[in-house]
Amino acid sequence: DGLFAHAAVSSSSYGYLGGGYFTPPATILATVYRIDFSNETISAPGYNLTEARYLLAACSSSSYGYFGGGFAPPSTYSNTVDRIDFSNETTSPVTATLTQSRYALAATSSSSYGYFGGGFDPPHVATIDRIDFSNETTSPVTDTLSQGRHALAAVSSSSYGYFGGGQNPTGNPDYLDIIDRIDFSNETRSPVTATLPEARSSLAATSSSSYGYFGGGFAP
């Protein structure tokens, strides 16, 4: 029971959880919840995503959080990108959308751009879309992930973004331990020699200034 399949971003003072699937009762949410880092209380600011959806992804600039993609039933794969303004917690749709509707994707960001990668359309997606924080336009990155996959996770350093794990039932193997790196300086993608210690999907990731951490997931 509880909330799952949502996405999260953070400012320096608050964390924001957007969308997701809540049970019981079975409800798909557009709600944005806020956690106050100073006292760890949770509240709902009152501004929601433009559509209820789950299995979406999120990234952030210093001023805004962006929630993109997701599954919005009945049978609707979303390409919508919603923005939350950290200064006043209002939400609004970004005029530009992802180049491809999809869910179970992952997102990471540099100081200038956000990157939404992978997902399921169907079929499985290897596309990486870039959102320019300066003008909120979206465009596909020429390089793609090494393999189309969904239920992956992503982290970033100041120089690189890392997409790890995931699942592609049409591939061999089905569950993946691979990590793809995107170089923020030229947006080229390359495989990381090291892999996750076990192949898994539906994992989560976070990072410090020095390390990225991939945790949990489903490993058959």
Side-chain angles (χ1 to χ4, degrees):
D1 294 353
L3 176 66
F4 62 94
H6 50 278
V9 294
S10 62
S11 68
S12 57
S13 301
Y14 302 99
Y16 298 90
L17 308 177
Y21 192 94
F22 187 83
T23 181
T27 307
I28 299 165
L29 301 178
T31 307
V32 176
Y33 291 103
R34 183 186 75 183
I35 181 169
D36 188 326
F37 293 149
S38 67
N39 57 20
E40 297 182 342
T41 56
I42 298 175
S43 60
Y47 297 99
N48 297 330
L49 302 180
T50 56
E51 61 181 347
R53 48 192 161 136
Y54 65 103
L55 293 172
L56 64 165
C59 61
S60 61
S61 68
S62 57
S63 301
Y64 302 100
Y66 298 89
F67 294 87
F71 184 61
S75 301
T76 301
Y77 307 115
S78 178
N79 65 355
T80 302
V81 179
D82 286 337
R83 184 187 76 181
I84 181 170
D85 187 326
F86 293 147
S87 67
N88 58 19
E89 298 181 338
T90 56
T91 54
S92 57
V94 173
T95 302
T97 59
L98 300 180
T99 59
Q100 189 171 0
S101 298
R102 46 191 156 141
Y103 71 92
L105 64 167
T108 190
S109 60
S110 68
S111 58
S112 301
Y113 303 99
Y115 298 89
F116 292 86
F120 188 73
D121 185 19
H124 287 83
V125 178
T127 304
I128 302 171
D129 283 341
R130 184 187 76 181
I131 181 169
D132 187 325
F133 293 147
S134 67
N135 57 18
E136 296 184 341
T137 57
T138 56
S139 58
V141 173
T142 302
D143 236 341
T144 63
L145 299 179
S146 58
Q147 184 175 344
R149 58 193 195 267
H150 77 284
L152 65 166
V155 294
S156 65
S157 68
S158 57
S159 301
Y160 303 99
Y162 299 87
F163 293 87
Q167 182 183 8
N168 184 340
T170 63
N172 185 21
D174 184 343
Y175 291 85
L176 303 172
D177 60 3
I178 57 176
I179 301 173
D180 285 337
R181 185 187 76 181
I182 181 170
D183 187 326
F184 292 147
S185 67
N186 56 18
E187 296 184 341
T188 56
R189 191 272 313 159
S190 58
V192 174
T193 303
T195 60
L196 299 178
E198 61 182 339
R200 48 191 157 143
S201 69
S202 302
L203 64 168
T206 190
S207 58
S208 69
S209 57
S210 302
Y211 301 98
Y213 301 87
F214 293 86
F218 181 75

